[in-house]
Amino acid sequence: MSELTALRLYFPISAKAKATRFWHRLSAPALAHHLLAVARRAGIQQAMLHHIDAGYLAGEKLSVHHPEVSSMRHPQCLELIDTEKHLRKYLHDHAEELQKVRAVLFKCELPLEN
């Protein structure tokens, strides 16, 4: 059985990361790009930001992506793949930034080879 685990983080497209530099106070970075960058620095094996055509987050209305106009509540999904231990450490290290993010952890099982 594989040790790979997938962690999916769901949040609105308008979510911003905490300002860590002077210039961030003028315009805080998007949470998605910030979480991708910290995943890379943390050595996470694989990370993907999924394009969402339509969907909704808990308690929100249905949102449909349009190339010219996007709702600030349109959902985003960042998927990280690594070992469960490494992903749990990532969650712990960035718990403050992930307070308003819905996180779902999936154990990955690969089919047995013949």
Side-chain angles (χ1 to χ4, degrees):
M1 184 158 72
S2 172
E3 289 187 23
L4 284 181
T5 303
L7 172 64
R8 285 192 165 195
L9 304 173
Y10 299 95
F11 48 92
I13 200 167
S14 63
K16 298 289 184 186
K18 184 178 168 185
T20 57
R21 298 183 199 146
F22 172 76
W23 293 110
H24 287 173
R25 291 185 178 138
L26 300 175
S27 178
L31 184 61
H33 294 286
H34 171 72
L35 293 175
L36 271 170
V38 295
R40 181 71 170 179
R41 288 193 299 269
I44 299 293
Q45 288 181 22
Q46 184 173 318
M48 290 174 280
L49 184 60
H50 293 282
H51 172 78
I52 308 297
D53 285 322
Y56 60 91
L57 297 168
E60 298 293 337
K61 293 181 180 179
L62 177 66
S63 174
V64 179
H65 174 74
H66 188 277
E68 294 178 8
V69 180
S70 229
S71 166
M72 297 307 281
R73 292 188 173 107
H74 190 73
Q76 279 196 308
C77 175
L78 176 62
E79 182 178 75
L80 307 175
I81 298 177
D82 208 314
T83 63
E84 182 176 355
K85 182 179 177 181
H86 204 175
L87 293 174
R88 287 191 183 276
K89 182 177 180 342
Y90 177 87
L91 285 171
H92 181 267
D93 292 348
H94 303 286
E96 185 180 331
E97 298 165 315
L98 299 173
Q99 286 182 344
K100 295 183 180 180
V101 172
R102 178 169 278 187
V104 181
L105 199 63
F106 297 95
K107 291 289 268 180
C108 300
E109 294 185 37
L110 301 174
L112 296 175
E113 294 179 357
N114 292 332

